[in-house]
Amino acid sequence: MVLSSFISSITARLTAYRNYRRTLQALSALDDRELSDLGIYRGRIDEIARGAAR
């Protein structure tokens, strides 16, 4: 039981980290005008990526 819970926890954390990195990279690749069209300021990219990882 404990081992499967531990493995599930690690799997969930890795998935969240991958989602964070993928979102961060995608948003960082956009220029300021594209971000503006989405209503996003460059300074909020990390915050948005962290939200996507939850």
Side-chain angles (χ1 to χ4, degrees):
M1 278 295 183
V2 174
L3 182 59
S4 66
S5 171
F6 177 73
I7 291 171
S8 294
S9 175
I10 291 199
T11 302
R13 287 177 186 239
L14 286 172
T15 300
Y17 179 73
R18 276 189 246 127
N19 288 339
Y20 165 76
R21 292 296 302 166
R22 192 175 314 132
T23 304
L24 186 68
Q25 289 173 343
L27 291 176
S28 294
L30 299 176
D31 63 29
D32 289 337
R33 183 169 181 203
E34 292 169 324
L35 288 171
S36 178
D37 288 345
L38 296 171
I40 298 172
Y41 298 100
R42 188 160 298 280
R44 292 196 61 222
I45 289 176
D46 187 63
E47 176 187 347
I48 293 167
R50 289 183 189 279
R54 290 186 183 136

